[in-house]
mmCIF file with all atom_site columns, all heavy atoms in Angstrom:
data_model
loop_
_atom_site.group_PDB
_atom_site.id
_atom_site.type_symbol
_atom_site.label_atom_id
_atom_site.label_alt_id
_atom_site.label_comp_id
_atom_site.label_asym_id
_atom_site.label_entity_id
_atom_site.label_seq_id
_atom_site.pdbx_PDB_ins_code
_atom_site.Cartn_x
_atom_site.Cartn_y
_atom_site.Cartn_z
_atom_site.occupancy
_atom_site.B_iso_or_equiv
_atom_site.pdbx_formal_charge
_atom_site.auth_seq_id
_atom_site.auth_comp_id
_atom_site.auth_asym_id
_atom_site.auth_atom_id
_atom_site.pdbx_PDB_model_num
ATOM 1   N N   . LYS R 1 226 ? 4.971  -14.672 5.461  1.00 97.00 ? 335 LYS R N   1
ATOM 2   C CA  . LYS R 1 226 ? 5.699  -14.909 6.709  1.00 97.00 ? 335 LYS R CA  1
ATOM 3   C C   . LYS R 1 226 ? 6.616  -13.734 7.025  1.00 97.00 ? 335 LYS R C   1
ATOM 4   O O   . LYS R 1 226 ? 6.610  -13.215 8.140  1.00 97.00 ? 335 LYS R O   1
ATOM 5   C CB  . LYS R 1 226 ? 6.504  -16.184 6.619  1.00 97.00 ? 335 LYS R CB  1
ATOM 6   C CG  . LYS R 1 226 ? 7.275  -16.505 7.915  1.00 97.00 ? 335 LYS R CG  1
ATOM 7   C CD  . LYS R 1 226 ? 8.069  -17.808 7.797  1.00 97.00 ? 335 LYS R CD  1
ATOM 8   C CE  . LYS R 1 226 ? 8.853  -18.068 9.068  1.00 97.00 ? 335 LYS R CE  1
ATOM 9   N NZ  . LYS R 1 226 ? 9.644  -19.319 8.961  1.00 97.00 ? 335 LYS R NZ  1
ATOM 10  N N   . ALA R 1 227 ? 7.403  -13.295 6.031  1.00 98.00 ? 336 ALA R N   1
ATOM 11  C CA  . ALA R 1 227 ? 8.307  -12.166 6.230  1.00 98.00 ? 336 ALA R CA  1
ATOM 12  C C   . ALA R 1 227 ? 7.521  -10.894 6.473  1.00 98.00 ? 336 ALA R C   1
ATOM 13  O O   . ALA R 1 227 ? 7.900  -10.042 7.303  1.00 98.00 ? 336 ALA R O   1
ATOM 14  C CB  . ALA R 1 227 ? 9.207  -11.995 5.016  1.00 98.00 ? 336 ALA R CB  1
ATOM 15  N N   . TYR R 1 228 ? 6.395  -10.747 5.787  1.00 98.00 ? 337 TYR R N   1
ATOM 16  C CA  . TYR R 1 228 ? 5.517  -9.588  5.966  1.00 98.00 ? 337 TYR R CA  1
ATOM 17  C C   . TYR R 1 228 ? 5.030  -9.500  7.405  1.00 98.00 ? 337 TYR R C   1
ATOM 18  O O   . TYR R 1 228 ? 5.117  -8.443  8.057  1.00 98.00 ? 337 TYR R O   1
ATOM 19  C CB  . TYR R 1 228 ? 4.340  -9.721  5.000  1.00 98.00 ? 337 TYR R CB  1
ATOM 20  C CG  . TYR R 1 228 ? 3.334  -8.604  4.963  1.00 98.00 ? 337 TYR R CG  1
ATOM 21  C CD1 . TYR R 1 228 ? 3.599  -7.402  4.316  1.00 98.00 ? 337 TYR R CD1 1
ATOM 22  C CD2 . TYR R 1 228 ? 2.060  -8.771  5.509  1.00 98.00 ? 337 TYR R CD2 1
ATOM 23  C CE1 . TYR R 1 228 ? 2.648  -6.388  4.226  1.00 98.00 ? 337 TYR R CE1 1
ATOM 24  C CE2 . TYR R 1 228 ? 1.097  -7.775  5.426  1.00 98.00 ? 337 TYR R CE2 1
ATOM 25  C CZ  . TYR R 1 228 ? 1.396  -6.581  4.780  1.00 98.00 ? 337 TYR R CZ  1
ATOM 26  O OH  . TYR R 1 228 ? 0.437  -5.588  4.705  1.00 98.00 ? 337 TYR R OH  1
ATOM 27  N N   . LEU R 1 229 ? 4.557  -10.616 7.929  1.00 97.00 ? 338 LEU R N   1
ATOM 28  C CA  . LEU R 1 229 ? 4.029  -10.626 9.287  1.00 97.00 ? 338 LEU R CA  1
ATOM 29  C C   . LEU R 1 229 ? 5.134  -10.456 10.329 1.00 97.00 ? 338 LEU R C   1
ATOM 30  O O   . LEU R 1 229 ? 4.916  -9.806  11.364 1.00 97.00 ? 338 LEU R O   1
ATOM 31  C CB  . LEU R 1 229 ? 3.252  -11.919 9.530  1.00 97.00 ? 338 LEU R CB  1
ATOM 32  C CG  . LEU R 1 229 ? 1.916  -12.035 8.787  1.00 97.00 ? 338 LEU R CG  1
ATOM 33  C CD1 . LEU R 1 229 ? 1.318  -13.376 9.004  1.00 97.00 ? 338 LEU R CD1 1
ATOM 34  C CD2 . LEU R 1 229 ? 0.951  -10.934 9.251  1.00 97.00 ? 338 LEU R CD2 1
ATOM 35  N N   . GLU R 1 230 ? 6.299  -11.023 10.061 1.00 97.00 ? 339 GLU R N   1
ATOM 36  C CA  . GLU R 1 230 ? 7.404  -10.849 10.994 1.00 97.00 ? 339 GLU R CA  1
ATOM 37  C C   . GLU R 1 230 ? 7.822  -9.383  11.067 1.00 97.00 ? 339 GLU R C   1
ATOM 38  O O   . GLU R 1 230 ? 8.039  -8.811  12.157 1.00 97.00 ? 339 GLU R O   1
ATOM 39  C CB  . GLU R 1 230 ? 8.608  -11.705 10.568 1.00 97.00 ? 339 GLU R CB  1
ATOM 40  C CG  . GLU R 1 230 ? 8.419  -13.205 10.869 1.00 97.00 ? 339 GLU R CG  1
ATOM 41  C CD  . GLU R 1 230 ? 9.589  -14.028 10.380 1.00 97.00 ? 339 GLU R CD  1
ATOM 42  O OE1 . GLU R 1 230 ? 10.519 -13.469 9.719  1.00 97.00 ? 339 GLU R OE1 1
ATOM 43  O OE2 . GLU R 1 230 ? 9.588  -15.245 10.646 1.00 97.00 ? 339 GLU R OE2 1
ATOM 44  N N   . ALA R 1 231 ? 7.933  -8.741  9.913  1.00 98.00 ? 340 ALA R N   1
ATOM 45  C CA  . ALA R 1 231 ? 8.292  -7.310  9.905  1.00 98.00 ? 340 ALA R CA  1
ATOM 46  C C   . ALA R 1 231 ? 7.192  -6.475  10.547 1.00 98.00 ? 340 ALA R C   1
ATOM 47  O O   . ALA R 1 231 ? 7.474  -5.541  11.304 1.00 98.00 ? 340 ALA R O   1
ATOM 48  C CB  . ALA R 1 231 ? 8.560  -6.859  8.468  1.00 98.00 ? 340 ALA R CB  1
ATOM 49  N N   . PHE R 1 232 ? 5.943  -6.808  10.243 1.00 98.00 ? 341 PHE R N   1
ATOM 50  C CA  . PHE R 1 232 ? 4.828  -6.082  10.833 1.00 98.00 ? 341 PHE R CA  1
ATOM 51  C C   . PHE R 1 232 ? 4.794  -6.253  12.362 1.00 98.00 ? 341 PHE R C   1
ATOM 52  O O   . PHE R 1 232 ? 4.513  -5.303  13.100 1.00 98.00 ? 341 PHE R O   1
ATOM 53  C CB  . PHE R 1 232 ? 3.500  -6.591  10.234 1.00 98.00 ? 341 PHE R CB  1
ATOM 54  C CG  . PHE R 1 232 ? 2.287  -6.061  10.903 1.00 98.00 ? 341 PHE R CG  1
ATOM 55  C CD1 . PHE R 1 232 ? 2.007  -4.708  10.916 1.00 98.00 ? 341 PHE R CD1 1
ATOM 56  C CD2 . PHE R 1 232 ? 1.386  -6.924  11.550 1.00 98.00 ? 341 PHE R CD2 1
ATOM 57  C CE1 . PHE R 1 232 ? 0.863  -4.215  11.545 1.00 98.00 ? 341 PHE R CE1 1
ATOM 58  C CE2 . PHE R 1 232 ? 0.271  -6.440  12.159 1.00 98.00 ? 341 PHE R CE2 1
ATOM 59  C CZ  . PHE R 1 232 ? 0.000  -5.097  12.168 1.00 98.00 ? 341 PHE R CZ  1
ATOM 60  N N   . GLY R 1 233 ? 5.180  -7.436  12.841 1.00 97.00 ? 342 GLY R N   1
ATOM 61  C CA  . GLY R 1 233 ? 5.279  -7.651  14.271 1.00 97.00 ? 342 GLY R CA  1
ATOM 62  C C   . GLY R 1 233 ? 6.271  -6.691  14.907 1.00 97.00 ? 342 GLY R C   1
ATOM 63  O O   . GLY R 1 233 ? 6.075  -6.228  16.044 1.00 97.00 ? 342 GLY R O   1
ATOM 64  N N   . GLY R 1 234 ? 7.336  -6.382  14.188 1.00 97.00 ? 343 GLY R N   1
ATOM 65  C CA  . GLY R 1 234 ? 8.295  -5.401  14.674 1.00 97.00 ? 343 GLY R CA  1
ATOM 66  C C   . GLY R 1 234 ? 7.667  -4.024  14.803 1.00 97.00 ? 343 GLY R C   1
ATOM 67  O O   . GLY R 1 234 ? 7.918  -3.319  15.787 1.00 97.00 ? 343 GLY R O   1
ATOM 68  N N   . TYR R 1 235 ? 6.854  -3.670  13.839 1.00 98.00 ? 344 TYR R N   1
ATOM 69  C CA  . TYR R 1 235 ? 6.164  -2.369  13.929 1.00 98.00 ? 344 TYR R CA  1
ATOM 70  C C   . TYR R 1 235 ? 5.257  -2.342  15.136 1.00 98.00 ? 344 TYR R C   1
ATOM 71  O O   . TYR R 1 235 ? 5.250  -1.384  15.914 1.00 98.00 ? 344 TYR R O   1
ATOM 72  C CB  . TYR R 1 235 ? 5.357  -2.097  12.663 1.00 98.00 ? 344 TYR R CB  1
ATOM 73  C CG  . TYR R 1 235 ? 4.590  -0.795  12.726 1.00 98.00 ? 344 TYR R CG  1
ATOM 74  C CD1 . TYR R 1 235 ? 5.195  0.410   12.448 1.00 98.00 ? 344 TYR R CD1 1
ATOM 75  C CD2 . TYR R 1 235 ? 3.257  -0.780  13.151 1.00 98.00 ? 344 TYR R CD2 1
ATOM 76  C CE1 . TYR R 1 235 ? 4.522  1.612   12.570 1.00 98.00 ? 344 TYR R CE1 1
ATOM 77  C CE2 . TYR R 1 235 ? 2.570  0.409   13.251 1.00 98.00 ? 344 TYR R CE2 1
ATOM 78  C CZ  . TYR R 1 235 ? 3.197  1.614   12.956 1.00 98.00 ? 344 TYR R CZ  1
ATOM 79  O OH  . TYR R 1 235 ? 2.515  2.791   13.102 1.00 98.00 ? 344 TYR R OH  1
ATOM 80  N N   . VAL R 1 236 ? 4.464  -3.391  15.309 1.00 97.00 ? 345 VAL R N   1
ATOM 81  C CA  . VAL R 1 236 ? 3.505  -3.446  16.402 1.00 97.00 ? 345 VAL R CA  1
ATOM 82  C C   . VAL R 1 236 ? 4.230  -3.387  17.756 1.00 97.00 ? 345 VAL R C   1
ATOM 83  O O   . VAL R 1 236 ? 3.705  -2.835  18.733 1.00 97.00 ? 345 VAL R O   1
ATOM 84  C CB  . VAL R 1 236 ? 2.622  -4.697  16.293 1.00 97.00 ? 345 VAL R CB  1
ATOM 85  C CG1 . VAL R 1 236 ? 1.737  -4.855  17.539 1.00 97.00 ? 345 VAL R CG1 1
ATOM 86  C CG2 . VAL R 1 236 ? 1.759  -4.617  15.049 1.00 97.00 ? 345 VAL R CG2 1
ATOM 87  N N   . SER R 1 237 ? 5.412  -3.975  17.814 1.00 97.00 ? 346 SER R N   1
ATOM 88  C CA  . SER R 1 237 ? 6.163  -3.973  19.083 1.00 97.00 ? 346 SER R CA  1
ATOM 89  C C   . SER R 1 237 ? 6.505  -2.561  19.553 1.00 97.00 ? 346 SER R C   1
ATOM 90  O O   . SER R 1 237 ? 6.643  -2.299  20.755 1.00 97.00 ? 346 SER R O   1
ATOM 91  C CB  . SER R 1 237 ? 7.465  -4.777  18.926 1.00 97.00 ? 346 SER R CB  1
ATOM 92  O OG  . SER R 1 237 ? 8.447  -4.015  18.209 1.00 97.00 ? 346 SER R OG  1
ATOM 93  N N   . GLY R 1 238 ? 6.653  -1.643  18.600 1.00 96.00 ? 347 GLY R N   1
ATOM 94  C CA  . GLY R 1 238 ? 6.955  -0.255  18.933 1.00 96.00 ? 347 GLY R CA  1
ATOM 95  C C   . GLY R 1 238 ? 8.420  -0.028  19.316 1.00 96.00 ? 347 GLY R C   1
ATOM 96  O O   . GLY R 1 238 ? 8.779  1.125   19.609 1.00 96.00 ? 347 GLY R O   1
ATOM 97  N N   . THR R 1 239 ? 9.255  -1.047  19.277 1.00 97.00 ? 348 THR R N   1
ATOM 98  C CA  . THR R 1 239 ? 10.656 -0.841  19.605 1.00 97.00 ? 348 THR R CA  1
ATOM 99  C C   . THR R 1 239 ? 11.356 -0.167  18.454 1.00 97.00 ? 348 THR R C   1
ATOM 100 O O   . THR R 1 239 ? 10.966 -0.340  17.270 1.00 97.00 ? 348 THR R O   1
ATOM 101 C CB  . THR R 1 239 ? 11.358 -2.183  19.884 1.00 97.00 ? 348 THR R CB  1
ATOM 102 O OG1 . THR R 1 239 ? 11.381 -2.978  18.694 1.00 97.00 ? 348 THR R OG1 1
ATOM 103 C CG2 . THR R 1 239 ? 10.652 -2.963  21.000 1.00 97.00 ? 348 THR R CG2 1
ATOM 104 N N   . PRO R 1 240 ? 12.438 0.584   18.693 1.00 97.00 ? 349 PRO R N   1
ATOM 105 C CA  . PRO R 1 240 ? 13.163 1.216   17.598 1.00 97.00 ? 349 PRO R CA  1
ATOM 106 C C   . PRO R 1 240 ? 13.630 0.198   16.576 1.00 97.00 ? 349 PRO R C   1
ATOM 107 O O   . PRO R 1 240 ? 13.531 0.431   15.343 1.00 97.00 ? 349 PRO R O   1
ATOM 108 C CB  . PRO R 1 240 ? 14.350 1.907   18.283 1.00 97.00 ? 349 PRO R CB  1
ATOM 109 C CG  . PRO R 1 240 ? 13.862 2.155   19.680 1.00 97.00 ? 349 PRO R CG  1
ATOM 110 C CD  . PRO R 1 240 ? 12.966 1.003   20.007 1.00 97.00 ? 349 PRO R CD  1
ATOM 111 N N   . GLU R 1 241 ? 14.128 -0.954  17.031 1.00 97.00 ? 350 GLU R N   1
ATOM 112 C CA  . GLU R 1 241 ? 14.604 -1.980  16.104 1.00 97.00 ? 350 GLU R CA  1
ATOM 113 C C   . GLU R 1 241 ? 13.477 -2.554  15.294 1.00 97.00 ? 350 GLU R C   1
ATOM 114 O O   . GLU R 1 241 ? 13.612 -2.796  14.073 1.00 97.00 ? 350 GLU R O   1
ATOM 115 C CB  . GLU R 1 241 ? 15.292 -3.094  16.893 1.00 97.00 ? 350 GLU R CB  1
ATOM 116 C CG  . GLU R 1 241 ? 16.529 -2.683  17.659 1.00 97.00 ? 350 GLU R CG  1
ATOM 117 C CD  . GLU R 1 241 ? 16.222 -2.015  18.981 1.00 97.00 ? 350 GLU R CD  1
ATOM 118 O OE1 . GLU R 1 241 ? 15.045 -2.003  19.405 1.00 97.00 ? 350 GLU R OE1 1
ATOM 119 O OE2 . GLU R 1 241 ? 17.168 -1.458  19.582 1.00 97.00 ? 350 GLU R OE2 1
ATOM 120 N N   . GLY R 1 242 ? 12.311 -2.774  15.920 1.00 98.00 ? 351 GLY R N   1
ATOM 121 C CA  . GLY R 1 242 ? 11.171 -3.327  15.213 1.00 98.00 ? 351 GLY R CA  1
ATOM 122 C C   . GLY R 1 242 ? 10.618 -2.374  14.163 1.00 98.00 ? 351 GLY R C   1
ATOM 123 O O   . GLY R 1 242 ? 10.292 -2.790  13.052 1.00 98.00 ? 351 GLY R O   1
ATOM 124 N N   . VAL R 1 243 ? 10.484 -1.119  14.529 1.00 98.00 ? 352 VAL R N   1
ATOM 125 C CA  . VAL R 1 243 ? 9.969  -0.118  13.578 1.00 98.00 ? 352 VAL R CA  1
ATOM 126 C C   . VAL R 1 243 ? 10.935 0.041   12.404 1.00 98.00 ? 352 VAL R C   1
ATOM 127 O O   . VAL R 1 243 ? 10.522 0.136   11.259 1.00 98.00 ? 352 VAL R O   1
ATOM 128 C CB  . VAL R 1 243 ? 9.711  1.217   14.278 1.00 98.00 ? 352 VAL R CB  1
ATOM 129 C CG1 . VAL R 1 243 ? 9.353  2.300   13.282 1.00 98.00 ? 352 VAL R CG1 1
ATOM 130 C CG2 . VAL R 1 243 ? 8.605  1.071   15.338 1.00 98.00 ? 352 VAL R CG2 1
ATOM 131 N N   . ALA R 1 244 ? 12.237 0.055   12.714 1.00 98.00 ? 353 ALA R N   1
ATOM 132 C CA  . ALA R 1 244 ? 13.255 0.170   11.651 1.00 98.00 ? 353 ALA R CA  1
ATOM 133 C C   . ALA R 1 244 ? 13.176 -1.027  10.708 1.00 98.00 ? 353 ALA R C   1
ATOM 134 O O   . ALA R 1 244 ? 13.302 -0.892  9.480  1.00 98.00 ? 353 ALA R O   1
ATOM 135 C CB  . ALA R 1 244 ? 14.646 0.301   12.251 1.00 98.00 ? 353 ALA R CB  1
ATOM 136 N N   . ALA R 1 245 ? 12.964 -2.218  11.272 1.00 98.00 ? 354 ALA R N   1
ATOM 137 C CA  . ALA R 1 245 ? 12.855 -3.409  10.443 1.00 98.00 ? 354 ALA R CA  1
ATOM 138 C C   . ALA R 1 245 ? 11.634 -3.365  9.534  1.00 98.00 ? 354 ALA R C   1
ATOM 139 O O   . ALA R 1 245 ? 11.687 -3.784  8.365  1.00 98.00 ? 354 ALA R O   1
ATOM 140 C CB  . ALA R 1 245 ? 12.826 -4.660  11.316 1.00 98.00 ? 354 ALA R CB  1
ATOM 141 N N   . TRP R 1 246 ? 10.540 -2.830  10.030 1.00 98.00 ? 355 TRP R N   1
ATOM 142 C CA  . TRP R 1 246 ? 9.336  -2.675  9.207  1.00 98.00 ? 355 TRP R CA  1
ATOM 143 C C   . TRP R 1 246 ? 9.570  -1.665  8.074  1.00 98.00 ? 355 TRP R C   1
ATOM 144 O O   . TRP R 1 246 ? 9.199  -1.906  6.923  1.00 98.00 ? 355 TRP R O   1
ATOM 145 C CB  . TRP R 1 246 ? 8.157  -2.239  10.074 1.00 98.00 ? 355 TRP R CB  1
ATOM 146 C CG  . TRP R 1 246 ? 6.917  -1.827  9.319  1.00 98.00 ? 355 TRP R CG  1
ATOM 147 C CD1 . TRP R 1 246 ? 6.390  -0.595  9.232  1.00 98.00 ? 355 TRP R CD1 1
ATOM 148 C CD2 . TRP R 1 246 ? 6.079  -2.684  8.521  1.00 98.00 ? 355 TRP R CD2 1
ATOM 149 N NE1 . TRP R 1 246 ? 5.245  -0.604  8.468  1.00 98.00 ? 355 TRP R NE1 1
ATOM 150 C CE2 . TRP R 1 246 ? 5.013  -1.879  8.021  1.00 98.00 ? 355 TRP R CE2 1
ATOM 151 C CE3 . TRP R 1 246 ? 6.091  -4.044  8.222  1.00 98.00 ? 355 TRP R CE3 1
ATOM 152 C CZ2 . TRP R 1 246 ? 4.004  -2.388  7.222  1.00 98.00 ? 355 TRP R CZ2 1
ATOM 153 C CZ3 . TRP R 1 246 ? 5.078  -4.553  7.398  1.00 98.00 ? 355 TRP R CZ3 1
ATOM 154 C CH2 . TRP R 1 246 ? 4.066  -3.748  6.910  1.00 98.00 ? 355 TRP R CH2 1
ATOM 155 N N   . ILE R 1 247 ? 10.195 -0.556  8.391  1.00 98.00 ? 356 ILE R N   1
ATOM 156 C CA  . ILE R 1 247 ? 10.497 0.424   7.343  1.00 98.00 ? 356 ILE R CA  1
ATOM 157 C C   . ILE R 1 247 ? 11.414 -0.168  6.283  1.00 98.00 ? 356 ILE R C   1
ATOM 158 O O   . ILE R 1 247 ? 11.212 0.018   5.088  1.00 98.00 ? 356 ILE R O   1
ATOM 159 C CB  . ILE R 1 247 ? 11.112 1.708   7.971  1.00 98.00 ? 356 ILE R CB  1
ATOM 160 C CG1 . ILE R 1 247 ? 10.077 2.407   8.845  1.00 98.00 ? 356 ILE R CG1 1
ATOM 161 C CG2 . ILE R 1 247 ? 11.626 2.659   6.869  1.00 98.00 ? 356 ILE R CG2 1
ATOM 162 C CD1 . ILE R 1 247 ? 10.660 3.537   9.684  1.00 98.00 ? 356 ILE R CD1 1
#
Side-chain angles (χ1 to χ4, degrees):
K335 181 180 178 181
Y337 183 76
L338 289 174
E339 286 178 354
F341 172 62
Y344 178 83
V345 172
S346 76
T348 65
E350 297 80 9
V352 174
W355 171 247
I356 293 171

